Amino acid sequence: MKRYFDAEAIFHIPSEEIEALKARAKTEDKDAQFCLGRYYNIVQPDEDACYKARDLFKSAMAKGSLEAEVALSLMYRKGEALLPVDVEKSDEMLQHAVSQGCEWAKVRYVRRLIYGDLFAEKDHDLAIDIIEETLKGDCDKGEWYCLKGEVLELSDSLSASREWYLKARAEGCVKAHAYAAVALCYDDEYNMVDWENFLELTDKGFEEHNNTMCLSLQKLVIKEHLDDVPAYKWHDVREEIRKGLELANRLGDLGAIEALGDIYRCGEMDITQRYSMAWAYYARLAILGGCEGYAKLYSMMKSRQVEKSDELKYSCAINAVRYGCKDMIPEVIKLYKRGELNNYAKEIEKYYLPIYMVMPDDDYPDDDGRFDAYA
């Protein structure tokens, strides 16, 4: 069941295993229902996937699955599958699962302490305390070592995180391969200091350990330095980048999907600008839960790069915020004040307007109708 906690890993699960899960889920096996729900919720293989996930999580939770309670709490936080946005219910469910000893719930809670979100402040000291206490007992050492690295990278320095990412990698934490590659090959100002080792480590992370983040990260870093590539190699390197990002896209990497959308929207890397392709990538990013996908779909509609209904435009605006895009809050409040988001008024007044009221005024220019928070 552990693999189903990691969104990236789910894309690597063979179809035969998913079919077996479907059969087990029909027998009312709560663990199978949770795992199948995660597959539907993360991979989104069909248009009804989010509703299937919701129903599977509810069924598994009714049978006592704490993991399903955590998954359902995340859906309430974002208002997925026609569930109402209910941050208080989301927090209550997560804390209940933590109190009952669910390790995945504790991981989700600590990640929230490390990174924060629209409704939760960061608390690195508390995160470190929980991590260190957890590591004294029986736990998934690789996951908790990686969390220790993440919190130290943010609260101290990249070099301070290095030993913990290496420990996590040694314990079999797949995502630690990408984190360790950065920690070993960049300095504390995030300047590359060991290019060859970076390429070797990210190749190994993807090819031997299925860490899609390694593939995406490598291609995006090469893309940043494309101007430094000699002319005779330029087109080959560009194709390497594009094909690598396409593969990462198929494996659900949000960074790769967003980058492909940007490439086609802006005509980067001498690739012909195609708004229809950009729209398709941003739509996939949104479906997979990337707030930037919703924000950029909204931006394309607002700037008339694509013509869609106002209903869809406003839905993308509100969903961008639901999924965590703080930069879209001023835009949502402006639409709300104009009466465009009346269907979401209670949600906006309860959750987003209080955040807007304490945001610095100078972060956002006066909007003449052309302001794009993502420009």
Side-chain angles (χ1 to χ4, degrees):
M1 188 163 66
K2 173 184 169 183
R3 284 184 302 161
Y4 290 85
F5 298 155
D6 182 359
E8 178 185 287
I10 296 173
F11 284 89
H12 291 275
I13 293 173
S15 58
E16 296 82 3
E17 182 173 331
I18 300 301
E19 291 304 312
L21 268 183
K22 291 178 181 178
R24 285 176 52 207
K26 290 178 181 178
T27 69
E28 301 299 304
D29 181 321
K30 65 181 175 65
D31 291 340
Q33 289 180 332
F34 163 73
C35 292
L36 184 59
R38 279 287 283 174
Y39 166 75
Y40 282 126
N41 191 226
I42 298 301
V43 178
Q44 295 287 321
D46 57 60
E47 62 183 12
D48 295 323
C50 63
Y51 306 110
K52 294 175 183 176
R54 177 198 63 196
D55 294 343
L56 285 162
F57 291 149
K58 284 186 173 182
S59 179
M61 181 179 167
K63 299 178 183 68
S65 170
L66 294 171
E67 290 78 14
E69 184 173 19
V70 175
L72 201 55
S73 80
L74 300 175
M75 297 187 80
Y76 272 110
R77 205 170 190 84
K78 302 167 185 172
E80 292 182 330
L82 299 181
L83 292 171
V85 174
D86 193 331
V87 175
E88 294 77 17
K89 186 179 183 71
S90 173
D91 287 341
E92 180 183 328
M93 294 171 74
L94 181 64
Q95 288 301 327
H96 175 262
V98 170
S99 71
Q100 296 301 304
C102 176
E103 186 174 356
W104 188 45
K106 190 190 286 190
V107 168
R108 298 296 312 194
Y109 174 59
V110 169
R111 291 191 70 80
R112 193 170 291 168
L113 292 174
I114 294 172
Y115 295 103
D117 65 18
L118 290 181
F119 312 107
E121 295 291 332
K122 301 174 187 177
D123 190 334
H124 292 162
D125 290 339
L126 179 55
I128 289 172
D129 288 344
I130 295 173
I131 291 167
E132 291 179 347
E133 186 63 30
T134 302
L135 283 168
K136 294 176 183 176
D138 183 21
C139 65
D140 179 356
K141 291 291 195 292
E143 180 69 41
W144 289 93
Y145 285 148
C146 194
L147 286 170
K148 181 73 174 286
E150 291 175 59
V151 70
L152 287 177
E153 182 176 348
L154 291 178
S155 63
D156 190 333
S157 65
L158 182 60
S159 56
S161 70
R162 186 176 300 133
E163 68 169 298
W164 299 99
Y165 290 146
L166 292 175
K167 284 183 177 182
R169 189 179 68 177
E171 288 286 339
C173 179
V174 173
K175 64 187 172 186
H177 285 272
Y179 290 114
V182 173
L184 288 167
C185 301
Y186 284 76
D187 63 21
D188 283 343
E189 284 70 46
Y190 292 91
N191 299 306
M192 179 73 74
V193 294
D194 194 339
W195 179 249
E196 294 301 324
N197 195 29
F198 175 77
L199 294 178
E200 181 180 343
L201 289 171
T202 48
D203 279 342
K204 183 176 181 179
F206 177 65
E207 294 168 5
E208 298 183 17
H209 301 280
N210 287 336
N211 184 197
T212 308
M213 192 190 307
C214 278
L215 171 65
S216 175
L217 175 64
Q218 183 191 100
K219 301 313 175 191
L220 290 174
V221 172
I222 294 173
K223 178 177 175 286
E224 287 179 3
H225 298 279
L226 189 57
D227 289 343
D228 300 329
V229 174
Y232 73 94
K233 298 172 73 173
W234 194 91
H235 285 89
D236 289 341
V237 173
R238 183 191 67 177
E239 282 306 291
E240 175 193 331
I241 294 168
R242 188 187 61 78
K243 290 178 180 178
L245 292 176
E246 287 287 4
L247 176 55
N249 160 43
R250 293 194 292 275
L251 293 171
D253 185 271
L254 301 188
I257 299 168
E258 182 178 5
L260 286 164
D262 293 344
I263 286 168
Y264 283 101
R265 185 181 185 186
C266 303
E268 296 175 357
M269 303 197 306
D270 280 356
I271 289 175
T272 302
Q273 188 179 54
R274 294 176 62 187
Y275 290 146
S276 61
M277 290 289 289
W279 176 271
Y281 284 116
Y282 292 151
R284 174 164 166 76
L285 178 61
I287 289 169
L288 294 182
C291 65
E292 295 86 356
Y294 286 111
K296 291 185 176 183
L297 290 173
Y298 173 80
S299 173
M300 291 190 76
M301 288 183 279
K302 182 177 179 179
S303 60
R304 300 190 180 279
Q305 291 172 338
V306 294
E307 294 292 338
K308 303 288 181 180
S309 69
D310 285 346
E311 181 182 5
L312 178 58
K313 180 167 67 174
Y314 300 145
S315 174
C316 285
I318 196 74
N319 276 307
V321 175
R322 285 176 171 179
Y323 279 82
C325 182
K326 191 173 182 178
D327 287 344
M328 277 293 293
I329 289 179
E331 187 73 4
V332 162
I333 298 303
K334 185 188 73 175
L335 294 171
Y336 157 76
K337 290 180 177 179
R338 287 200 330 224
E340 308 287 5
L341 299 177
N342 289 336
N343 291 339
Y344 308 101
K346 289 183 178 179
E347 177 185 335
I348 291 168
E349 291 166 3
K350 183 176 183 179
Y351 294 121
Y352 314 134
L353 189 56
I355 297 172
Y356 173 77
M357 295 300 290
V358 298
M359 292 176 74
D361 291 338
D362 56 1
D363 280 0
Y364 302 95
D366 292 335
D367 191 358
D368 62 0
R370 294 172 296 176
F371 174 57
D372 176 3
Y374 272 76

